[in-house]
Each structure stands twice: as structure tokens, then as C-alpha cells.
Amino acid sequence: MALTTLKSLNAEIKQLEAQKKLVEKRDGEVPKALAVLQRYAKVLSPAQRRQVAKIAGETVEVQSGRATATLRGSMKGRKLGSVAPKYRLPTGETWTGRGLSPKVFTAWAKSGEGRAWAKAHPDAKFPAAEGAGTSTAKPAKKTTKAAKKVVKKPAKRASTKKAAKKATRVAVKKIAK
């Protein structure tokens, strides 16, 4: 039994070594194939270009309609640009004004200092950060002449027979006078 197992193990080792050579050969050809695909990317469809980019993990430009968008193989972990702070507390904490207000800001607004500041600045939510603009309050809506006009509701139609008869009697009396 020992001799047959030794022979079978040797045969398996030879088979695995042959597979290893094939894999190494393929690994050497993959970058070449990707280079050819990228060279001829103009003839590929947008879906095919995205697929190549996903495999290569590189950036590929895809044109859809008028806009040109840059796609990455993996959109996870993309970094967004930083936003300048809109509000700054006297203690130095800042907030961009996006999302829920931080606990520090809500606590400051409830404190005595925050209440006094809110009375002095009724139009602002929190103290503005330097360079955040002159006004942090939302601009008041402008009223137009059309908005000031009072729209009269149309008279309700008589839905019952009695109301219809009464309306005709009144109309006949006005005509008769």
C-alpha cells in the first residue's frame, strides 16, 4: 500500500506543478490583455468599459450622452470634498450646517450664553464662522402682487332641487323688476 500511495502522490505533485505553470503563464498574459482592452476601449460599450475597469481596478472614462463621467472599479471609499464651516461657537467648535446639529451646538443654544445670543440675533440660528457670509438666516420670501390678491372661491352650485328652485325664483324676480 505504501508504494501505490507514493506513486499517486508523485503523480498529484506533477499535476499540481503543471497547473502552477499554467497559472503563472496566465498571470503574465493578464496585464497584456488588459492593455489591449484599454487600447481599444473606444469600440467597447459603456457596460464593457465598466467591466474592464472593475477587473483592472483602474479609472476608465465612459461617455453617456453629453456628459463624461469617470468611473472607478470600486466606488467604495470615495472621498468627498471638504466643506467650509458655516457656524462657529465662542468655544471654537465648528459645524458645516449639514445634517443634524451637533450636541455641542444644541447644548450651547440651551445655555444662558446661547439664549442671550439668540435674543440679540433673532434671525440667525448659530454664530456665523468667519468667511461664511454676512447672513446665516434664510432670506425672507418676497411677496408679489399675485400672492397678495385674494382669490374668491366660486359659488357652490345648488345640489338639491330646493336650492335650484329658490335660485330660479330669485333670478325671475330680478328680471321682473
Side-chain angles (χ1 to χ4, degrees), residues 44-108:
L44 297 176
S45 70
Q48 291 170 330
R49 282 184 245 163
R50 283 192 295 271
Q51 197 171 17
V52 169
K54 186 176 181 182
I55 292 169
E58 295 177 3
T59 303
V60 175
E61 289 192 11
V62 178
Q63 290 185 351
S64 58
R66 289 180 244 155
T68 301
T70 303
L71 298 174
R72 295 179 187 263
S74 172
M75 291 302 282
K76 295 177 187 175
R78 65 185 180 136
K79 294 185 179 179
L80 301 175
S82 61
V83 179
K86 187 175 181 181
Y87 303 110
R88 183 182 308 274
L89 294 180
T91 57
E93 285 89 359
T94 59
W95 177 41
T96 60
R98 295 183 175 188
L100 295 174
S101 57
K103 292 179 181 179
V104 175
F105 278 76
T106 53
W108 180 83

Side-chain angles (χ1 to χ4, degrees), residues 13 19 28 40 57 109 143 154 175:
I13 288 171
Q19 285 180 353
Y40 296 105
T143 55
I175 293 173

Side-chain angles (χ1 to χ4, degrees), residues 84-161:
K86 187 175 181 181
Y87 303 110
R88 183 182 308 274
L89 294 180
T91 57
E93 285 89 359
T94 59
W95 177 41
T96 60
R98 295 183 175 188
L100 295 174
S101 57
K103 292 179 181 179
V104 175
F105 278 76
T106 53
W108 180 83
K110 291 178 183 178
S111 70
E113 183 184 0
R115 287 184 194 151
W117 185 89
K119 283 183 183 178
H121 304 90
D123 295 339
K125 190 174 182 178
F126 292 111
E130 294 99 29
T134 56
S135 174
T136 58
K138 293 181 181 176
K141 292 182 180 179
K142 294 181 180 179
T143 55
T144 61
K145 290 181 181 180
K148 289 181 182 178
K149 287 184 181 177
V150 178
V151 179
K152 292 184 180 179
K153 292 181 182 177
K156 291 184 180 178
R157 292 187 176 184
S159 59
T160 61
K161 289 182 181 180

Side-chain angles (χ1 to χ4, degrees), residues 7 29 36 56 121 146:
K7 286 181 181 179
E29 293 174 355
V36 169
H121 304 90

